[in-house]
Amino acid sequence: MTDKRCRVLGYSVDLLTFGEAVDFILNKIKNNIGLHIITINPEIIFAADKNRELSEIIKASELVLPESSGIVKALSFKGIKQEQIPGIDFSKRLLQKCAVLNYPVALIGAKEHVIIKAVNNLKKELPSLNIVYFHDGYFEKEDEVINEIVKNKPKLILCALGAPKQEMFIKKCKKIYNNGVYIGIGGSFDVWAGEVKRAPKIFQKLGLEWLYRTIKQPERIKRIYKTLPVFLFRAIIDSVNK
């Protein structure tokens, strides 16, 4: 938790720049302080409104970053100019830092062939990256995976199990191993594996990756347009009642 926070629909969001957030986390890693980072967006807020455990996990997490343009827009309604911090970019920057500082990392999630390709690609891109453990996301015995994490003692643990499964897993794992920084990063492994193409830079810069994904995956339209307008309306009401 930082001393610069603002609430969006009942959930605190840390008001940091990309660089400040990286430095904050590296300091925690250096001092062996456990941390659960939430990259928050409208969809996870709506999911948390229907899932008490997920809601409590978000509220108890030590750092909540504005992952989407929707959250940034909601903050702007309150007069706050905040930088968007996409989870995929943020976690990649942390991996780059870990490679330089020789901090061990673990990767959990995605399909077996995807995680293998992601690990291989990351090692090619960052030869000094010390990946001490990785596992696909299709496991039945959580305790076995957690035991491996405890055994290998990573400083950064990236979980791509999808929300809310990844948040639930992190909560359980952190109770047993609290010397690492945990981040749920959704579909990032698919991108790093080359299985999914990310939006062009112009879409990223304008905060419109969600629009690009919707164009490429029309089946997302119902879900996106059911969530985003309602979220923005609620955010406007929230800003009036601040």
Side-chain angles (χ1 to χ4, degrees), residues 96-115:
Q96 293 167 346
K97 292 290 186 180
C98 286
V100 172
L101 298 169
N102 195 33
Y103 290 146
V105 305
L107 311 178
I108 312 294
K111 296 178 180 178
E112 184 177 12
H113 77 280
V114 171
I115 187 66

Side-chain angles (χ1 to χ4, degrees), residues 176-195:
I176 300 170
Y177 179 72
N178 195 30
N179 290 328
V181 170
Y182 296 84
I183 312 177
I185 59 171
S188 297
F189 293 167
D190 295 275
V191 176
W192 296 342
E195 296 283 304

Side-chain angles (χ1 to χ4, degrees), residues 36 52-54 56-57 60 146 165-177 182:
H36 183 183
R52 182 176 178 180
E53 185 177 3
L54 177 59
E56 290 174 350
I57 289 172
I146 292 173
K165 184 178 178 180
Q166 61 196 17
E167 284 73 31
M168 307 295 187
F169 175 79
I170 289 172
K171 176 186 176 181
K172 182 176 180 178
C173 192
K174 190 170 177 286
K175 285 182 178 180
I176 300 170
Y177 179 72
Y182 296 84

Side-chain angles (χ1 to χ4, degrees), residues 79-129:
I80 297 171
K81 186 176 181 180
Q82 170 61 40
E83 179 181 1
Q84 182 182 349
I85 305 179
I88 187 170
D89 295 325
F90 189 70
S91 53
K92 175 60 78 66
R93 181 69 60 83
L94 289 177
L95 288 175
Q96 293 167 346
K97 292 290 186 180
C98 286
V100 172
L101 298 169
N102 195 33
Y103 290 146
V105 305
L107 311 178
I108 312 294
K111 296 178 180 178
E112 184 177 12
H113 77 280
V114 171
I115 187 66
I116 291 173
K117 287 178 67 176
V119 167
N120 289 336
N121 288 344
L122 286 170
K123 286 182 175 179
K124 290 177 183 178
E125 181 182 349
L126 303 168
S128 59
L129 183 62

